[in-house]
Amino acid sequence: MAKKIKKIGVLTSGGDAPGMNAAIRAVVRACAYYHTECVGFYRGFQGVIEGDFVALNARSVRNILPYGGTILQSARSREFMTKEGRAKAAAKIKEAEVDAVILIGGDGTFRGGLALSEEHGIPCIGVPGTIDNDISGTNFTIGYDTALNTVVDAIDKIRDTASSHNRLFFVEVMGRDAGFIALNSGIGAGAEEILIPEEDLGLERLLNSLERSRRSGKTSSIVVVSEGDKIGKNVFELAEYVKENLPYYDAKVTVLGHIQRGGKPTCFDRVLASRLCVKAVELLMDGNRDVMVGLMNNDIVYTSISKALKTEHTVNKDLLRISDILST
Amino acid sequence: MAKKIKKIGVLTSGGDAPGMNAAIRAVVRACAYYHTECVGFYRGFQGVIEGDFVALNARSVRNILPYGGTILQSARSREFMTKEGRAKAAAKIKEAEVDAVILIGGDGTFRGGLALSEEHGIPCIGVPGTIDNDISGTNFTIGYDTALNTVVDAIDKIRDTASSHNRLFFVEVMGRDAGFIALNSGIGAGAEEILIPEEDLGLERLLNSLERSRRSGKTSSIVVVSEGDKIGKNVFELAEYVKENLPYYDAKVTVLGHIQRGGKPTCFDRVLASRLCVKAVELLMDGNRDVMVGLMNNDIVYTSISKALKTEHTVNKDLLRISDILST
Amino acid sequence: MAKKIKKIGVLTSGGDAPGMNAAIRAVVRACAYYHTECVGFYRGFQGVIEGDFVALNARSVRNILPYGGTILQSARSREFMTKEGRAKAAAKIKEAEVDAVILIGGDGTFRGGLALSEEHGIPCIGVPGTIDNDISGTNFTIGYDTALNTVVDAIDKIRDTASSHNRLFFVEVMGRDAGFIALNSGIGAGAEEILIPEEDLGLERLLNSLERSRRSGKTSSIVVVSEGDKIGKNVFELAEYVKENLPYYDAKVTVLGHIQRGGKPTCFDRVLASRLCVKAVELLMDGNRDVMVGLMNNDIVYTSISKALKTEHTVNKDLLRISDILST
Amino acid sequence: MAKKIKKIGVLTSGGDAPGMNAAIRAVVRACAYYHTECVGFYRGFQGVIEGDFVALNARSVRNILPYGGTILQSARSREFMTKEGRAKAAAKIKEAEVDAVILIGGDGTFRGGLALSEEHGIPCIGVPGTIDNDISGTNFTIGYDTALNTVVDAIDKIRDTASSHNRLFFVEVMGRDAGFIALNSGIGAGAEEILIPEEDLGLERLLNSLERSRRSGKTSSIVVVSEGDKIGKNVFELAEYVKENLPYYDAKVTVLGHIQRGGKPTCFDRVLASRLCVKAVELLMDGNRDVMVGLMNNDIVYTSISKALKTEHTVNKDLLRISDILST
């Protein structure tokens, strides 16, 4: 029978995402509600290894709900990648009398948690928190909706100046190896073209499309390019290539960069984080372990982490077709 | 066999919602893509009755994607409620050689479309567009996500001043007879209490909760009240009642009102509107009629309008429990 | 010769305003820079009376710059209005070895500071912090610019729905007895009419203007009404009056309320707060007292508080003429 | 005696700036108010040369007030740089019976207008519209306040992720050869260091400051770099240089780029544009020419364009000192 959980640790790891504070708050408040102790580890697994943690009660997380970033900070720990590092981490967790850990992050974070569980018997629950939305077992990850709105807001601004000057803009967005952000922000911002790693449509097609666009009377165009795009050129080379081939275009590049990771979380991300993390605590109280929580069809569900890690969350390629229709 | 669709009419009706312009754009662009003519009727069914419409092509909807409101305007037509009004409308539709109508609005709008179809054989497709999210057959309606963010943004601001002055605020939000906006914005903004029409928890409970909140060290509190709340008091009476019973509270009221209907649509609402309306056009091209499109589990689906009208979209009452846990 | 200042107290008082945290931060950082101790009193003069204060160093104000509200909280203290209350306050200030006080607030706050100085010899410096902009000796008060943007953003949203439904909206904004917010947000949002306390143009004129507006082809209108407007009717009565006299108008009312006090301060308010408060500390170090700092012609200046209190900051009535021209 | 002005042309030229639409609207509405005809030239002087213009009346500018960009578009015309180009432009202006031109743009635009006036006797009025604020004769240019808020909002987001990961960020902002944007957004966002072209403080100082910052307990830092900075390295080289010399810093670069040119104008920019442009029309009606309008000490003033062009608008270097104090 599962050991009774009396103290839960929580950490944020990997790239930070808006809504991580909402998630921490929900873990802490749910622990308080269920009369369970809670501690927060700083800087992800690195803080675990260093025994750098803090006791958290309902008042500790007052007022953090609307803020971007993570009060527990995040990091990528190289030491934790080693067996020795994980042994150190496990020792610190036991020393702190922490019975289980809730991990807020992406697949790297979940892999780390699983290793802790398998090698040292420490139960963990994964909460998908990343702007990239590249986690299986959930329709949406925490931070993704906020990042989409940040990107769309930025492209709306770029559209203003593109229209005023008849310009072509290449806008690079984040997303690692997945095109979720590019595809959805591209449709949301009415981009004329969207380039994602999942689908290499070729440079030829891009030139044709831009030329058709221009002939149809469009005087400015926006091309959204995912950072992981596999077209064989980076966004600056791409712009150069288009300039050479379509010389009437005054092509400019904007790399949106780290603004996509920050900012106040949207209502969607706050509610998502709140629901997922209450569930994460309740799953632990009920004796579950090594699962990740997710949102499917607007319901909170959970899957085994190992299964989630084996499955890929694939973009809906039909959205490329929608984008083509809408940029008619 | 269904008549081939050569011209589609589109209208927005009922309360306007952010994303209606994105929806109109998607209808028009999809028509252009499928070489189908498109006209827009002004002011919902009223414009139909008056034969007040405009031909729309791909360029007509340039640049409207990011804007709130609806370029076709909206209205509630009393004349259309009568059999004579609908006969007039049908005559105008036929005169304009419009083969089918896409209706962007709420249940009242869909009822109107169904009547047109049943009484006059005019095929229609419903697209759920309302900030209230009170439509069955879809997880989300167009405009709802934007309204949630507007509300959360407003409550974040109110929280600033509530915290500075140790105040209790009652914030009334929209939603007609449904608590979707109140419940989700309440969790999103970290409200201490949420009052929705679906659940009358009683005044006693509210007083107890506020008192408990205060004893636990909270010096300011936000109560989100749905406009349709059935607690037997309006928001101003509620505030008075609390002031009388808990005199240490300096209670204030804010009625958010029509700011909830406007503003730039979020990425979510833009993508939702785009996907739903491309599908609406394609359904007509494929011979479907009298159905509404919706988003379920992140996929575009459709149901018969009559079935959707008979079913209620119910709020997830478990969210009340989540809210209680989080305001610990 | 003036006593050397070794410890400075700071407080925020009266209605809170965005940028007060930026102001507190600047006081604290400037004190640290000049190796002067700094304490913050909670809840304005009430905290002084109660001896409720905290030592503040450069790290205490980390990260507060972008946030609305005031970490020191604010209040209106009735006890401080009495001679006894002020004597208590003075005793607490001396007990805390605080040599001078920086007061962030409006004219009521400054009057309080002046009384402390005159009755008990405690030097003070006033920093104008109020959304109302009704302080003489400065072109702008801290919080005013942010409030203007909050109001304009809200009216932009209302405009979306007003245009969609051909409606007339009355929007009540804050400003106490001064029309600064109404006048400038009204021009900024393109309001058709602006009603301010400083100029009673009469109901007749309002009706005429609305009718002219309608005849010129405008189908929606926004009337911005200052809360202190002296037209003899509150905003709801005003809407009723117009409905009775111009029955074709579907008039609605929105009272913006306390959202105007919160939110992230604009760049302007942050820079203004920063510059004013560094100067406030430097003035104390240089032996000045009982003056208020202000921004005139983009330069930081200072005036005696007693003079500032005797002078009225009047709105530029020429803006009413500009508004008339622009709503042609 | 000056010829009576019966028709006014308006154009936007150079880099576009938020508020240009508010400016165009104010020119058009003021013309309507004074019963003067108005035409808008497209794409700045290029449209003048091509005779590409449109008649504008009060209704033409309905609803453009809140939008970024410019409905008249903008461009830099190489042809207009030549005497022949200007002769063509003058001929087109006379052909269109336009009596005077209002130029919304920066110093290049004003120089163009002055040439038209001197060589061809066409009166012009300059309206300062540029995000760079680098125009003499006015405290503020149209678009500058909006750009500052866009930058501060972006840096707030970057701060979230910088704090979560203990990172150092170099953020490049616009401003051409002037440090207005860098200096004010840097203070507004609480940047640890600000590098502007007007003051080369040296790389040594930067390293020292960052090291001091770190020793004082700061775990993340933001350095705002003006695009025109003269430190001898571009922002990427700068980051490399710091990484080499302070290896404990994980330095990242963000180039904000063209998002700074777009977006909804702030209330400040809308009111500024409105006041300046009503004045511009009135100056023409009163027989003035070849002057530019400006805002000094919150009043609308005007200076001769030639004088304004000879004077430099210098940044207030005292702000560097303020920034140092605040990043203590």
Side-chain angles (χ1 to χ4, degrees):
Chain A
M1 208 205 99
K3 193 189 150 195
K4 197 177 170 320
I5 303 291
K6 282 179 294 187
K7 195 190 279 188
I8 291 175
V10 58
L11 59 80
T12 51
S13 173
D16 62 316
M20 280 187 163
N21 278 327
I24 295 166
R25 170 181 176 267
V27 168
V28 173
R29 292 271 167 98
C31 284
Y33 184 84
Y34 289 113
H35 306 294
T36 302
E37 281 182 81
C38 185
V39 304
F41 292 102
Y42 286 107
R43 288 163 299 117
F45 294 117
Q46 192 55 36
V48 181
I49 289 175
E50 299 175 12
D52 187 10
F53 61 88
V54 63
L56 295 170
N57 63 36
R59 292 287 73 74
S60 320
V61 291
R62 175 158 41 185
N63 288 338
I64 69 170
L65 174 62
Y67 301 136
T70 152
I71 58 164
L72 293 177
Q73 300 197 300
S74 187
R76 290 189 167 85
S77 168
R78 238 171 294 179
E79 197 177 351
F80 189 80
M81 300 289 170
T82 67
K83 228 177 156 99
E84 296 69 34
R86 289 194 294 273
K88 255 200 233 176
K92 290 289 183 183
I93 288 171
K94 286 166 187 172
E95 202 182 303
E97 302 190 307
V98 166
D99 301 313
V101 183
I102 293 178
L103 313 146
I104 305 164
D107 49 11
T109 307
F110 294 172
R111 238 170 247 122
L114 210 53
L116 261 190
S117 175
E118 288 166 357
E119 297 168 10
H120 301 281
I122 295 166
C124 71
I125 304 278
V127 177
T130 160
I131 63 166
D132 302 325
N133 206 35
D134 57 350
I135 306 279
S136 184
T138 188
N139 289 159
F140 305 105
T141 56
I142 300 167
Y144 169 59
D145 184 64
T146 304
L148 285 182
N149 281 293
T150 299
V151 171
V152 163
D153 189 55
I155 303 183
D156 282 352
K157 289 189 169 76
I158 290 170
R159 175 77 70 183
D160 285 341
T161 185
S163 306
S164 300
H165 282 279
N166 293 340
R167 273 177 183 154
L168 168 64
F169 270 89
F170 288 85
V171 181
E172 187 188 283
V173 302
M174 287 186 164
R176 292 203 309 174
D177 298 326
F180 288 98
I181 292 180
L183 206 39
N184 282 275
S185 70
I187 291 179
E192 275 68 23
E193 282 292 323
I194 303 170
L195 305 180
I196 59 170
E198 288 86 348
E199 189 92 2
D200 179 357
L201 298 167
L203 291 166
E204 197 67 21
R205 186 185 167 287
L206 177 65
L207 294 182
N208 289 341
S209 158
L210 289 172
E211 206 156 356
R212 206 169 45 243
S213 207
R214 185 165 171 97
R215 275 202 308 270
S216 86
K218 292 212 177 189
T219 56
S220 69
S221 283
I222 308 270
V223 181
V224 171
V225 185
S226 181
E227 63 177 347
D229 184 54
K230 302 281 190 311
I231 209 162
K233 295 186 184 298
N234 72 31
V235 69
F236 294 99
E237 292 163 353
L238 207 56
E240 277 313 309
Y241 176 82
V242 168
K243 266 197 255 195
E244 276 162 32
N245 287 276
L246 306 175
Y248 43 79
Y249 266 120
D250 178 14
K252 301 266 173 189
V253 171
T254 296
V255 176
L256 289 184
H258 280 79
I259 60 166
Q260 295 167 83
R261 294 210 170 279
K264 300 183 76 166
T266 57
C267 184
F268 189 95
D269 276 332
R270 299 184 194 189
V271 174
L272 177 62
S274 299
R275 293 177 70 188
L276 291 178
C277 288
V278 168
K279 185 69 175 184
V281 171
E282 292 175 342
L283 283 170
L284 282 177
M285 310 306 289
D286 291 348
N288 297 278
R289 52 185 296 170
D290 304 348
V291 297
M292 67 160 268
V293 286
L295 185 85
M296 301 291 277
N297 199 21
N298 219 10
D299 286 323
I300 303 298
V301 297
Y302 60 99
T303 359
S304 85
I305 287 184
S306 57
K307 192 184 146 198
L309 286 175
K310 272 179 223 136
T311 325
E312 207 191 336
H313 190 192
T314 50
V315 296
N316 179 350
K317 285 196 193 165
D318 191 50
L319 291 178
L320 282 175
R321 201 180 57 85
I322 303 282
S323 167
D324 272 357
I325 293 175
L326 294 177
S327 56
T328 298
Chain B
M1 212 205 95
K3 193 189 150 193
K4 196 175 170 321
I5 302 290
K6 284 179 292 186
K7 195 189 280 186
I8 291 175
V10 58
L11 58 82
T12 50
S13 174
D16 63 315
M20 281 187 162
N21 278 327
I24 295 167
R25 169 180 176 268
V27 168
V28 173
R29 292 270 167 97
C31 284
Y33 184 86
Y34 289 114
H35 307 293
T36 301
E37 282 181 81
C38 186
V39 303
F41 292 101
Y42 287 109
R43 287 161 303 116
F45 294 118
Q46 191 56 36
V48 182
I49 288 175
E50 298 174 12
D52 187 10
F53 63 87
V54 63
L56 296 169
N57 64 35
R59 293 287 72 72
S60 321
V61 292
R62 171 158 46 185
N63 288 339
I64 69 170
L65 173 62
Y67 300 137
T70 154
I71 59 163
L72 293 177
Q73 299 196 300
S74 188
R76 290 190 168 85
S77 168
R78 238 171 295 179
E79 196 176 352
F80 190 78
M81 300 291 168
T82 66
K83 231 177 152 100
E84 296 70 33
R86 289 193 295 273
K88 257 199 230 178
K92 291 289 184 184
I93 287 172
K94 286 166 187 173
E95 202 182 302
E97 301 189 310
V98 165
D99 300 314
V101 182
I102 292 178
L103 312 146
I104 304 163
D107 50 10
T109 307
F110 294 174
R111 238 170 247 123
L114 209 54
L116 260 190
S117 175
E118 287 167 356
E119 297 169 9
H120 303 282
I122 296 166
C124 70
I125 305 278
V127 177
T130 159
I131 62 167
D132 302 325
N133 206 35
D134 56 350
I135 308 278
S136 184
T138 189
N139 288 160
F140 304 106
T141 57
I142 300 167
Y144 169 61
D145 185 62
T146 305
L148 285 182
N149 281 293
T150 299
V151 171
V152 163
D153 189 55
I155 303 184
D156 282 353
K157 289 189 169 76
I158 291 170
R159 176 76 70 185
D160 284 342
T161 185
S163 306
S164 299
H165 283 278
N166 293 340
R167 273 177 184 155
L168 167 64
F169 269 89
F170 288 84
V171 181
E172 187 187 283
V173 302
M174 285 185 165
R176 292 204 310 176
D177 297 327
F180 288 98
I181 293 181
L183 206 40
N184 283 275
S185 70
I187 291 178
E192 274 69 22
E193 283 291 324
I194 304 172
L195 305 180
I196 58 170
E198 289 87 348
E199 189 93 1
D200 179 358
L201 299 166
L203 291 166
E204 196 67 19
R205 187 185 166 287
L206 177 64
L207 294 182
N208 289 341
S209 158
L210 289 172
E211 205 155 358
R212 207 169 45 243
S213 207
R214 186 165 173 97
R215 274 201 309 268
S216 85
K218 292 213 177 187
T219 56
S220 68
S221 283
I222 307 269
V223 180
V224 171
V225 185
S226 181
E227 63 178 347
D229 183 52
K230 300 284 190 309
I231 208 161
K233 294 183 184 303
N234 73 30
V235 68
F236 293 99
E237 292 162 354
L238 209 55
E240 278 312 309
Y241 176 83
V242 168
K243 264 197 254 193
E244 277 163 30
N245 286 276
L246 306 175
Y248 43 78
Y249 266 121
D250 178 15
K252 300 267 174 189
V253 171
T254 295
V255 176
L256 289 183
H258 280 79
I259 60 168
Q260 295 167 83
R261 296 212 169 277
K264 302 183 75 166
T266 57
C267 184
F268 189 96
D269 276 332
R270 298 184 194 189
V271 175
L272 176 63
S274 300
R275 293 177 70 188
L276 291 177
C277 287
V278 169
K279 184 68 175 183
V281 171
E282 292 176 342
L283 283 170
L284 281 177
M285 309 307 287
D286 290 349
N288 296 279
R289 54 184 295 171
D290 305 348
V291 297
M292 67 161 268
V293 286
L295 185 85
M296 301 291 277
N297 199 19
N298 219 9
D299 287 324
I300 303 298
V301 298
Y302 60 99
T303 1
S304 86
I305 288 183
S306 57
K307 191 183 148 199
L309 287 175
K310 272 179 223 135
T311 326
E312 208 190 335
H313 190 192
T314 50
V315 297
N316 179 351
K317 284 194 193 168
D318 191 50
L319 292 177
L320 281 176
R321 200 180 58 86
I322 303 282
S323 167
D324 271 358
I325 293 174
L326 295 176
S327 56
T328 298
Chain C
M1 209 205 97
K3 194 189 150 194
K4 196 173 171 322
I5 302 290
K6 282 178 293 187
K7 195 189 281 186
I8 291 175
V10 57
L11 59 81
T12 50
S13 174
D16 62 314
M20 281 187 162
N21 278 328
I24 295 167
R25 170 181 176 266
V27 168
V28 173
R29 293 270 167 96
C31 284
Y33 184 85
Y34 288 113
H35 306 294
T36 301
E37 282 183 80
C38 185
V39 303
F41 291 102
Y42 288 107
R43 288 164 300 117
F45 294 117
Q46 190 57 35
V48 181
I49 288 175
E50 299 174 11
D52 187 10
F53 61 87
V54 63
L56 296 169
N57 64 37
R59 292 288 71 74
S60 322
V61 292
R62 171 157 45 184
N63 289 338
I64 68 170
L65 173 63
Y67 301 136
T70 153
I71 58 163
L72 292 177
Q73 301 196 299
S74 187
R76 290 190 168 87
S77 168
R78 237 171 296 178
E79 197 178 352
F80 190 79
M81 300 290 168
T82 65
K83 228 175 157 105
E84 296 71 33
R86 289 194 295 273
K88 258 199 230 177
K92 292 288 183 183
I93 288 171
K94 286 166 187 174
E95 203 182 302
E97 301 189 311
V98 166
D99 300 314
V101 183
I102 293 178
L103 313 146
I104 304 164
D107 49 10
T109 307
F110 294 174
R111 236 169 250 123
L114 210 53
L116 262 189
S117 175
E118 286 167 358
E119 297 169 10
H120 302 281
I122 297 165
C124 70
I125 304 278
V127 177
T130 160
I131 63 167
D132 302 324
N133 207 35
D134 57 349
I135 306 278
S136 184
T138 188
N139 288 160
F140 304 105
T141 57
I142 298 166
Y144 169 61
D145 185 62
T146 304
L148 285 181
N149 281 292
T150 299
V151 171
V152 163
D153 189 56
I155 303 184
D156 282 352
K157 289 189 169 77
I158 291 171
R159 175 77 70 185
D160 284 342
T161 187
S163 305
S164 299
H165 283 279
N166 293 339
R167 274 177 183 153
L168 167 64
F169 270 88
F170 288 84
V171 181
E172 188 187 282
V173 302
M174 286 184 164
R176 292 205 309 177
D177 298 326
F180 288 99
I181 293 180
L183 206 40
N184 282 275
S185 70
I187 291 178
E192 274 69 21
E193 283 292 323
I194 303 170
L195 305 180
I196 58 171
E198 289 86 350
E199 189 92 3
D200 178 358
L201 298 167
L203 291 166
E204 196 67 21
R205 187 184 166 287
L206 177 64
L207 294 182
N208 289 341
S209 159
L210 288 173
E211 206 157 356
R212 205 168 47 242
S213 207
R214 184 164 173 97
R215 274 201 309 267
S216 86
K218 293 212 176 186
T219 56
S220 69
S221 284
I222 306 269
V223 181
V224 171
V225 186
S226 180
E227 63 178 347
D229 183 53
K230 301 282 191 311
I231 209 162
K233 294 185 184 300
N234 73 30
V235 68
F236 294 98
E237 292 163 353
L238 208 55
E240 278 313 308
Y241 176 83
V242 168
K243 265 198 253 193
E244 276 163 30
N245 286 276
L246 306 176
Y248 44 79
Y249 266 120
D250 178 15
K252 301 266 174 192
V253 171
T254 296
V255 176
L256 289 183
H258 280 79
I259 61 168
Q260 295 166 83
R261 294 211 169 279
K264 301 182 76 167
T266 58
C267 185
F268 189 95
D269 276 332
R270 298 183 194 190
V271 175
L272 177 62
S274 300
R275 294 177 69 188
L276 291 178
C277 287
V278 168
K279 185 67 174 185
V281 170
E282 292 176 343
L283 283 170
L284 282 176
M285 309 306 286
D286 290 349
N288 296 279
R289 54 184 296 171
D290 305 347
V291 296
M292 65 162 267
V293 286
L295 185 86
M296 302 290 277
N297 199 20
N298 220 9
D299 287 324
I300 303 297
V301 298
Y302 59 100
T303 1
S304 86
I305 288 184
S306 57
K307 192 183 148 199
L309 287 175
K310 271 179 224 137
T311 324
E312 209 190 336
H313 190 192
T314 50
V315 297
N316 179 350
K317 284 196 194 166
D318 191 49
L319 291 178
L320 281 175
R321 200 179 58 86
I322 303 282
S323 167
D324 271 358
I325 293 174
L326 294 176
S327 56
T328 298
Chain D
M1 211 206 95
K3 191 189 152 195
K4 195 174 171 323
I5 303 292
K6 282 178 293 187
K7 195 189 281 188
I8 291 175
V10 58
L11 59 81
T12 51
S13 174
D16 63 315
M20 281 187 162
N21 278 327
I24 295 167
R25 170 180 176 267
V27 168
V28 173
R29 292 270 167 96
C31 284
Y33 184 85
Y34 289 113
H35 307 292
T36 301
E37 282 182 80
C38 185
V39 303
F41 291 102
Y42 287 107
R43 289 164 298 117
F45 293 118
Q46 191 56 35
V48 181
I49 288 174
E50 298 174 13
D52 187 10
F53 61 88
V54 62
L56 295 169
N57 64 36
R59 292 288 70 75
S60 322
V61 292
R62 170 155 49 182
N63 288 339
I64 68 171
L65 173 62
Y67 301 136
T70 152
I71 59 164
L72 293 177
Q73 301 197 299
S74 187
R76 291 191 167 84
S77 168
R78 238 170 296 179
E79 196 176 353
F80 189 79
M81 301 290 170
T82 66
K83 228 175 154 103
E84 296 71 33
R86 288 193 294 274
K88 254 200 232 178
K92 291 289 183 183
I93 288 171
K94 285 166 187 172
E95 201 182 303
E97 300 190 311
V98 166
D99 302 313
V101 183
I102 293 177
L103 313 146
I104 304 164
D107 50 11
T109 307
F110 294 173
R111 238 170 246 120
L114 210 53
L116 261 190
S117 175
E118 286 167 359
E119 296 169 12
H120 302 282
I122 295 166
C124 70
I125 304 279
V127 178
T130 160
I131 63 166
D132 302 325
N133 206 35
D134 58 349
I135 307 279
S136 185
T138 189
N139 288 159
F140 305 106
T141 57
I142 299 167
Y144 168 61
D145 184 63
T146 304
L148 285 181
N149 281 293
T150 298
V151 171
V152 163
D153 189 55
I155 303 183
D156 282 352
K157 289 189 169 76
I158 291 169
R159 176 75 71 183
D160 284 342
T161 186
S163 305
S164 298
H165 283 278
N166 293 341
R167 274 178 182 151
L168 167 64
F169 271 88
F170 288 85
V171 182
E172 187 188 283
V173 302
M174 287 185 163
R176 293 205 308 176
D177 298 325
F180 289 98
I181 292 180
L183 205 40
N184 282 275
S185 71
I187 291 179
E192 274 70 20
E193 281 292 325
I194 303 171
L195 305 181
I196 58 170
E198 289 87 349
E199 189 92 1
D200 179 357
L201 299 166
L203 291 166
E204 196 68 21
R205 188 187 166 285
L206 177 64
L207 294 182
N208 290 340
S209 158
L210 289 172
E211 206 157 358
R212 207 168 45 242
S213 208
R214 186 166 172 94
R215 274 201 308 269
S216 86
K218 293 213 176 187
T219 57
S220 68
S221 283
I222 307 269
V223 180
V224 171
V225 185
S226 182
E227 64 177 346
D229 183 52
K230 302 284 190 308
I231 208 161
K233 296 184 183 301
N234 73 30
V235 69
F236 295 97
E237 293 162 352
L238 207 56
E240 278 313 309
Y241 176 83
V242 169
K243 266 197 255 194
E244 277 162 31
N245 287 276
L246 306 175
Y248 44 79
Y249 266 121
D250 178 14
K252 302 266 173 189
V253 171
T254 295
V255 177
L256 289 185
H258 280 80
I259 60 167
Q260 295 167 84
R261 295 211 170 279
K264 301 183 74 166
T266 57
C267 184
F268 190 95
D269 276 332
R270 299 184 193 188
V271 174
L272 177 63
S274 300
R275 293 176 70 187
L276 290 177
C277 287
V278 168
K279 186 69 176 182
V281 171
E282 292 176 342
L283 283 169
L284 282 176
M285 309 307 286
D286 290 350
N288 296 279
R289 53 186 294 171
D290 305 348
V291 295
M292 67 161 267
V293 285
L295 184 86
M296 301 292 275
N297 199 19
N298 220 7
D299 287 323
I300 303 297
V301 298
Y302 59 98
T303 0
S304 86
I305 287 183
S306 57
K307 190 183 149 200
L309 287 174
K310 271 178 227 137
T311 325
E312 207 190 337
H313 190 191
T314 50
V315 297
N316 179 351
K317 284 195 193 167
D318 190 51
L319 291 178
L320 282 175
R321 201 179 56 86
I322 302 282
S323 167
D324 271 358
I325 293 174
L326 294 176
S327 55
T328 297

